Amino acid sequence: MKIKSTKIACFLTLLLFTGSLISQETAFKTILDNSQGSFDILSYEEMNIDTEPTELFGISEEFRESYTIEDQNPEEVAAVFARTLLALGAGFGFGSDDTLWCLHAAYYLRAAMFAKSALYVSLGVLYNGLSNNFFNQSLIELQLRALMFRPITRYNQVNFLYGIMAAYGFGADKFDSGGKTNFNRLTLALVVGFQIILSTQLSLMMQTNLLAHVRNTFKPENGPDTTSNDTWGLVNKNNIFGISLVWALTRTRN
C-alpha cells in the first residue's frame, strides 16, 4: 500500500511540473506575439559606436582609417606606374645538355598609358654564359624590348608582362679540344613575365622567352662562315629565365 501511494504521489508531481512548463511556454509566446516589432534589443557597443569615442572600445580613429579599403572604380585607371625603371639581375636556363646563366641590366621608359595598362620600352645589356661537355660559350648582347604592363590583382600588387624583344650579340665558343669559333647572333622573341611590387620604390621582375628565333653566324678560325637558324618554343629550354630587382627612378600617377 505504501509503494502504491508513493507511485501516485510521483505521478501527481510529474503532472504538475509538466503543466507548469506548458503554462510558462504559453505565457512567453503570448508576450512575444504581442510585443513583436515594438522594440529592438541592441548591444551597448552598437548603440554608442557612432556617438561615443571609439577609444572606449580600444579602437582609435587612426587604426580604423588605416584599415579602410576603398573599392577601385574599374572604369578609372587605378595603377601607378613609374615613369622610368632601372633593373639589375641574373638568370639561368637549361638545354638538352647545356647549362646557361647570365647577368643583365636594363633601363625602362614608360612610352604610353592606357585604360588599364602601360607600354614600356627598354634598352638593356646581357652577359651570357653556356657550358656543356664539349665547349664553353660567352656572349655579350644588346637588347631592345617593348612590353605591356597590365595589373592582374585587385590592388595592383602584381603586373603581367608581355611583349617582344629584339637583340644583337657577339661572342665565342671555346672548345675543350682546343680552338675557338667567334659568332654573331640575332634574336627575336616573344617575352612573358611578372612584376611584383615590393614598395613604392622597389619591385621584383621575372621574365623569359615564350618563343624565340635565333640566327647565328659562325666564323671559325679555319674555314668558311656558316649560319644556323633555330627556334625555341619551350619555357626555360635554351631560354634564359631572368630575375631582376627593379628601382623606380621617377613615379607619377597617370
Side-chain angles (χ1 to χ4, degrees):
M1 184 68 180
K2 184 177 181 180
I3 294 175
K4 185 175 181 181
S5 300
T6 302
K7 288 183 177 180
I8 294 173
C10 290
F11 176 76
L12 291 175
T13 302
L14 180 61
L15 183 63
L16 290 174
F17 180 74
T18 303
S20 176
L21 288 178
I22 294 174
S23 177
Q24 290 179 17
E25 181 179 357
T26 302
F28 181 78
K29 186 175 184 303
T30 302
I31 294 173
L32 184 62
D33 292 339
N34 292 332
S35 63
Q36 185 73 29
S38 62
F39 64 88
D40 294 321
I41 300 175
L42 298 176
S43 68
Y44 177 81
E45 182 175 340
E46 290 174 324
M47 290 188 296
N48 294 275
I49 188 67
D50 294 327
T51 58
E52 297 293 334
T54 54
E55 284 80 359
L56 292 177
F57 308 106
I59 306 173
S60 66
E61 288 295 334
E62 291 78 9
F63 180 86
R64 296 179 67 185
E65 292 175 0
S66 66
Y67 280 85
T68 300
I69 300 177
E70 298 181 358
D71 290 337
Q72 298 177 350
N73 187 342
E75 300 299 325
E76 298 177 355
V77 179
V80 177
F81 294 105
R83 186 178 296 276
T84 56
L85 301 169
L86 177 64
L88 299 174
F92 61 91
F94 303 96
S96 56
D97 298 310
D98 305 326
T99 300
L100 299 86
W101 59 272
C102 79
L103 300 174
H104 56 88
Y107 176 81
Y108 288 79
L109 176 65
R110 195 185 69 193
M113 286 288 298
F114 303 96
K116 297 181 180 180
S117 59
L119 173 65
Y120 281 82
V121 294
S122 71
L123 181 64
V125 60
L126 173 144
Y127 178 79
N128 185 81
L130 180 151
S131 62
N132 58 28
N133 296 327
F134 305 101
F135 67 93
N136 293 311
Q137 181 185 96
S138 59
L139 170 73
I140 297 176
E141 191 171 65
L142 298 177
Q143 300 180 337
L144 179 64
R145 298 173 187 252
L147 299 176
M148 292 293 296
F149 284 50
R150 184 178 181 86
I152 59 173
T153 56
R154 183 178 182 185
Y155 298 107
N156 308 316
Q157 303 95 329
V158 180
N159 290 321
F160 177 63
L161 317 180
Y162 59 95
I164 59 174
M165 180 197 74
Y168 172 78
F170 54 92
D173 294 332
K174 295 182 179 180
F175 297 93
D176 295 344
S177 59
K180 181 177 72 172
T181 298
N182 296 319
F183 66 91
N184 297 328
R185 174 176 295 175
L186 292 173
T187 303
L188 183 63
L190 298 178
V191 180
V192 295
F194 296 93
Q195 181 194 24
I196 302 173
I197 306 300
L198 303 178
S199 70
T200 57
Q201 295 296 325
L202 293 177
S203 61
L204 194 66
M205 192 180 296
M206 297 166 284
Q207 297 182 46
T208 189
N209 297 336
L210 183 65
L211 179 67
H213 179 76
V214 179
R215 179 185 179 89
N216 289 310
T217 301
F218 297 99
K219 300 180 178 180
E221 294 177 337
N222 298 307
D225 295 354
T226 59
T227 300
S228 70
N229 291 278
D230 299 295
T231 300
W232 309 107
L234 297 175
V235 175
N236 209 32
K237 294 294 185 180
N238 293 92
N239 285 320
I240 289 289
F241 178 82
I243 303 175
S244 306
L245 185 61
V246 182
W247 286 265
L249 301 182
T250 56
R251 301 189 66 84
T252 181
R253 183 181 294 271
N254 311 334

